[in-house]
Amino acid sequence: MPTPQAEKLSKTRNLGIIAHIDAGKTTVTERILFYSGRVHKMGEVHNGEATMDWMAEEKERGITITSAVTSCDWRGHIINIIDTPGHVDFTIEVERSLRVLDGAIGVFCAVGGVEPQSETVWRQADHYRVPKIAFINKLDRVGADFFRAVEMIEKRLEAAPLILQIPWGAEDQFKGVIDLMGMEAILWEDETLGAEYRTVPIPEAMLEEAARYRELLLEKLADNDDRVMEKYLSEEEIPVQELREAIRNATIQMALVPIFCGTALRNKGIQPLLDGLVDYLPSPLDVPAIVGTDPVSGETETRPAKPKGPLSALAFKVMMDQGRKMTYLRIYSGTLKAGEMVFNPGKNVKEKPARLLKMHSNKRERIDAVSAGDIVAAMGLKTTTTGDTLCTENDPILLEPIQFNEPVISVAVEPRKVQDHEKLLEALKKLSEEDPTFKTKIDEETGQTLISGMGELHLEILTGRLKREFSVEINQGKPQVVQRETITAPIIQEEIFQRELGGQQHFAGVKIEISPLKRGSGNKFVNQCKAQGLTEEFLEAIGQGIHEAQGGGFVMGYPVVDVRTTLLKVQIKESSDAMAFRVAANMTFKQAFVKAEPILLEPIMNTEVLVPEAFTGDVIGDLNARKGKISQIVSKGSTQVLTAHVPLSKMFGYSTALRSASQGRGTFSMQFSHYDHA
């Protein structure tokens, strides 16, 4: 018989809701909270009352900016939900949420289908091996096409969709769904805001279509499950419970993606989706044990999800709450009590969480202890930042950190009042602690304070928060693109460093060749020197010196990328040491770089524009004028979808230009693709 802890874990679901902007993620979350009894009034995104969009900026703009955590109860299961943003500027929020989740619900608009940001977040989920189910939303909208959306999931996302429901009606005739598992139709009562629903026989006009898709469902399951295969081939009736088990196994193994449908805004389709996430998505016990390394021995360790095992937790998000730091944690194993000392092996410090909080958006409930499978917030962790591991000092483990994208856009800021200078720097420090894709630095030459982020909206939100949360009024310059530097020609260079420092001689000679690499290759360091006396310590110092030199280029001071550095020869004397080799390598690289015909690279954005057919010519002309390269034009009914690569520097103010070129009917999205010579 399972222990109470194991039973609690088997009935826990840690889920994220992921999708493109405007697919309806937050509305789906609001309905889940309402029907599960977590809230007693449905908040709407369009009127700024959504529970999960609690920030002032989110209420104003009607978009999700920060991932919010909440929990609810359905059929005796605890469901922890993270509602993530859909806008490309806030991809970090999705990345760090997916890192700690066991399952995800992909929400797709029945009109737009799989849109660019849907692809990005889906690939992120694949990277972290997160099992998914899909909900095709907005079936009541004009142009809704359920089967086209399913086809796009299969083709664009290379997923294997398993249709469990088909829509009953479409657009303004959408009534409910046909459940292919129970072969019945489900109708929702408008009078109860969809809280009550009833099952009725499938309408005669849809029986044939339902039977066809039921057969396809069984065929796909038979391909993935031997028990179902046997009964299917012998034409036996397969119990629904056996089908559910087969779907669950295939979903957890990421072999299939169960498809649900409905319209969250019209309160249809949410309860079966809740059943689906309980039935098919994994508990912490169903996913592989978290893997880390022993910080002392460097050996790989696994930590199964056991409350009684050694503690391992990952800090996946930091937030400032009225000036105080709140750290979100996913507990993978063991138990953590409030006020108990924990160890941060990455920073080699001890920390004490003063309070532990169960979160419901921006509301909280104080708790004494948390254990494996829980997602909570902690107050009082001073040095812990996003991606840090927490464990006990006696059983240390270092979990894989979270990877972050580098910023692509910069703005110079200054306080309007001179006396606010220190206040501004303090506020910027707090914001960059919260968001690892937001960087601040002071330009050594001009003395300006530069802030960098993932896009115009990202910086706009953060500068708005300076005024609203920190009461700092600022002036800001025009956005500047964060560029990179590289070379176009190979060069061989040799330099000698010889100096007396503190009465001691230091000597080192280094000869290298630097050569250009293909775009996106990164920097590579290769040792081809076989000199005697070239110790591991000296080689490491040479690599360090080159790495430091690549941190700031020599055209405009931007970081160097796509350069191969080959060590050809070294000169060693008795007075040679690691410091001398580091300085010599740094000098040699700098001298070589200046001679190797350096150029600037700028961020190129993968841009997708949706525009009515009548305005396609004007939009293409405008993209060409912005040095854009059109790679694809696809028709979606009366709408044309243009895909292009455009330099980011040419995309400032594009939303205004697109509105005027398409009479306000065009929309676009863009995300970073690569660095290249514009």
Side-chain angles (χ1 to χ4, degrees):
M1 192 170 162
T3 63
Q5 288 103 331
E7 193 165 342
K8 179 204 162 195
L9 271 172
S10 72
K11 292 195 168 184
T12 298
R13 301 285 182 272
N14 291 318
L15 310 172
I17 299 195
I18 58 172
H20 188 88
I21 191 166
D22 275 346
K25 295 177 302 303
T26 303
T27 307
V28 168
T29 312
E30 291 297 319
R31 299 310 186 261
I32 286 174
L33 295 176
F34 179 71
Y35 298 132
S36 63
R38 189 71 177 81
V39 296
H40 301 293
K41 177 178 178 288
M42 281 188 279
E44 302 295 5
V45 175
H46 54 261
N47 59 21
E49 291 179 4
T51 310
M52 304 300 278
D53 286 350
W54 57 270
M55 286 173 73
E57 288 84 357
E58 293 177 315
K59 290 178 185 294
E60 279 173 15
R61 295 166 190 270
I63 62 169
T64 303
I65 291 166
T66 183
S67 48
V69 181
T70 189
S71 62
C72 63
D73 190 288
W74 187 256
R75 284 175 28 197
H77 290 68
I78 302 159
I79 302 170
N80 296 316
I81 301 171
I82 301 184
D83 175 28
T84 64
H87 197 286
V88 68
D89 284 16
F90 309 106
T91 303
I92 174 61
E93 291 289 338
V94 186
E95 185 83 29
R96 57 184 172 188
S97 301
L98 286 169
R99 173 73 172 78
V100 298
L101 293 171
D102 301 325
I105 304 165
V107 179
F108 299 91
C109 169
V111 181
V114 176
E115 295 171 281
Q117 189 62 5
S118 312
E119 283 191 63
T120 304
V121 294
W122 196 271
R123 303 265 179 258
Q124 285 171 306
D126 283 344
H127 171 72
Y128 289 118
R129 301 287 304 158
V130 176
K132 298 166 283 293
I133 62 178
F135 180 70
I136 295 176
N137 191 24
K138 302 191 177 185
L139 280 164
D140 58 316
R141 279 186 53 191
V142 174
D145 189 333
F146 170 79
F147 295 106
R148 186 172 63 84
V150 172
E151 192 183 327
M152 289 174 82
I153 290 171
E154 189 166 19
K155 287 184 178 168
R156 283 204 182 184
L157 305 178
E158 294 164 6
L162 182 73
I163 299 174
L164 301 185
Q165 299 175 339
I166 58 172
W168 178 1
E171 300 182 353
D172 58 349
Q173 298 300 306
F174 179 70
K175 293 186 175 69
V177 301
I178 308 294
D179 172 28
L180 301 176
M181 294 285 281
M183 283 303 276
E184 57 195 7
I186 306 174
L187 271 177
W188 278 266
E189 304 290 351
D190 290 333
E191 298 77 33
T192 61
L193 294 175
E196 288 179 20
Y197 57 97
R198 55 199 168 93
T199 55
V200 296
I202 297 172
E204 209 164 306
M206 291 197 69
L207 273 171
E208 194 181 321
E209 187 182 21
R212 190 169 78 251
Y213 281 102
R214 162 82 175 187
E215 193 64 22
L216 282 171
L217 163 68
L218 295 175
E219 272 177 32
K220 274 201 173 179
L221 273 183
D223 287 342
N224 280 278
D225 188 282
D226 291 341
R227 269 199 316 172
V228 174
M229 170 76 83
E230 276 178 41
K231 290 188 176 175
Y232 177 69
L233 292 176
S234 58
E235 297 185 0
E236 280 181 58
E237 186 63 39
I238 309 168
V240 169
Q241 192 49 41
E242 268 185 41
L243 291 177
R244 284 207 183 101
E245 282 170 23
I247 295 170
R248 180 178 179 77
N249 292 335
T251 306
I252 291 170
Q253 288 160 18
M254 295 181 67
L256 294 173
V257 177
I259 307 280
F260 294 84
C261 63
T263 165
L265 192 64
R266 302 281 172 257
N267 313 314
K268 294 177 171 71
I270 300 299
Q271 293 93 334
L273 176 67
L274 270 163
D275 287 336
L277 59 88
V278 162
D279 289 337
Y280 308 130
L281 286 177
S283 74
L285 295 172
D286 296 316
V287 292
I290 192 74
V291 177
T293 53
D294 185 311
V296 181
S297 68
E299 287 179 15
T300 302
E301 280 197 21
T302 55
R303 292 277 169 96
K306 289 180 182 171
K308 292 199 171 166
L311 174 71
S312 62
L314 186 77
F316 68 95
K317 182 178 165 74
V318 171
M319 276 191 73
M320 290 301 157
D321 178 55
Q322 295 167 353
R324 289 173 303 172
K325 189 172 163 185
M326 184 158 70
T327 310
Y328 284 81
L329 304 172
R330 161 74 197 258
I331 315 296
Y332 284 104
S333 65
T335 300
L336 174 63
K337 292 177 182 167
E340 188 176 69
M341 200 64 83
V342 291
F343 181 58
N344 181 334
K347 295 196 167 73
N348 199 25
V349 292
K350 290 180 185 175
E351 294 259 53
K352 188 188 280 186
R355 282 184 292 159
L356 295 172
L357 307 165
K358 193 167 185 163
M359 300 302 294
H360 173 50
S361 188
N362 63 333
K363 299 179 182 67
R364 63 207 63 174
E365 176 192 328
R366 200 162 168 174
I367 47 178
D368 296 326
V370 290
S371 60
D374 288 335
I375 293 178
V376 292
M379 305 291 282
L381 298 173
K382 292 184 177 68
T383 57
T384 299
T385 54
T386 302
D388 283 0
T389 305
L390 295 178
C391 55
T392 53
E393 204 171 4
N394 300 336
D395 283 298
I397 188 170
L398 201 52
L399 304 177
E400 183 194 342
I402 301 168
Q403 301 301 317
F404 308 120
N405 293 335
E406 286 298 310
V408 294
I409 184 171
S410 286
V411 167
V413 293
E414 62 179 26
R416 284 190 187 165
K417 298 175 188 164
V418 178
Q419 60 266 36
D420 279 351
H421 185 68
E422 287 302 315
K423 199 172 169 186
L424 172 65
L425 294 181
E426 187 60 33
L428 291 175
K429 186 183 169 203
K430 285 183 175 175
L431 288 174
S432 59
E433 266 186 46
E434 213 178 274
D435 182 350
T437 59
F438 174 65
K439 303 271 173 76
T440 68
K441 73 167 187 177
I442 294 172
D443 190 301
E444 288 176 16
E445 287 181 20
T446 62
Q448 285 182 311
T449 303
L450 296 175
I451 60 172
S452 308
M454 300 306 295
E456 284 182 281
L457 180 63
H458 188 203
L459 292 184
E460 202 181 304
I461 298 288
L462 288 162
T463 50
R465 286 182 64 192
L466 284 173
K467 182 181 175 183
R468 200 186 299 262
E469 292 174 34
F470 300 96
S471 306
V472 179
E473 296 266 4
I474 60 161
N475 296 321
Q476 65 186 68
K478 285 186 177 176
Q480 299 290 317
V481 169
V482 178
Q483 296 177 309
R484 294 288 183 268
E485 296 184 16
T486 193
I487 57 172
T488 55
I491 285 287
I492 292 175
Q493 184 74 23
E494 186 171 14
E495 294 291 327
I496 289 171
F497 173 76
Q498 188 168 8
R499 196 168 295 176
E500 188 179 313
L501 295 167
Q504 192 179 342
Q505 284 288 338
H506 298 273
F507 175 89
V510 172
K511 184 178 184 180
I512 61 170
E513 179 184 23
I514 64 171
S515 52
L517 286 172
K518 206 172 87 175
R519 294 288 163 264
S521 304
N523 293 321
K524 290 186 171 56
F525 175 59
V526 180
N527 175 30
Q528 284 185 2
C529 176
K530 305 289 182 216
Q532 282 189 329
L534 180 60
T535 63
E536 197 65 42
E537 185 191 7
F538 288 172
L539 190 61
E540 201 173 301
I542 291 168
Q544 198 179 346
I546 287 164
H547 179 70
E548 283 168 9
Q550 289 167 341
F554 315 100
V555 183
M556 298 276 285
Y558 291 114
V560 172
V561 294
D562 303 338
V563 173
R564 176 192 175 99
T565 307
T566 308
L567 179 64
L568 302 174
K569 181 181 156 190
V570 294
Q571 292 184 47
I572 303 171
K573 288 186 179 177
E574 280 183 22
S575 55
S576 295
D577 60 8
M579 186 275 283
F581 271 110
R582 199 177 93 231
V583 177
N586 193 300
M587 282 167 45
T588 313
F589 185 88
K590 285 179 177 177
Q591 294 295 330
F593 190 87
V594 174
K595 297 175 185 174
E597 299 173 27
I599 57 165
L600 283 173
L601 302 176
E602 65 172 305
I604 306 296
M605 309 304 281
N606 187 21
T607 307
E608 186 170 284
V609 185
L610 276 76
V611 65
E613 206 168 340
F615 307 108
T616 309
D618 291 344
V619 171
I620 290 174
D622 184 51
L623 286 172
N624 288 335
R626 294 170 188 270
K627 294 190 176 176
K629 291 177 183 165
I630 310 278
S631 56
Q632 195 180 40
I633 302 175
V634 178
S635 288
K636 269 191 191 175
S638 61
T639 303
Q640 298 287 312
V641 182
L642 314 177
T643 308
H645 284 100
V646 194
L648 175 60
S649 59
K650 306 291 181 190
M651 290 300 285
F652 294 137
Y654 183 63
S655 52
T656 309
L658 180 62
R659 272 200 299 273
S660 71
S662 64
Q663 295 179 8
R665 292 166 65 196
T667 60
F668 82 103
S669 63
M670 64 178 184
Q671 58 198 83
F672 173 72
S673 172
H674 61 283
Y675 280 96
D676 210 340
H677 192 43

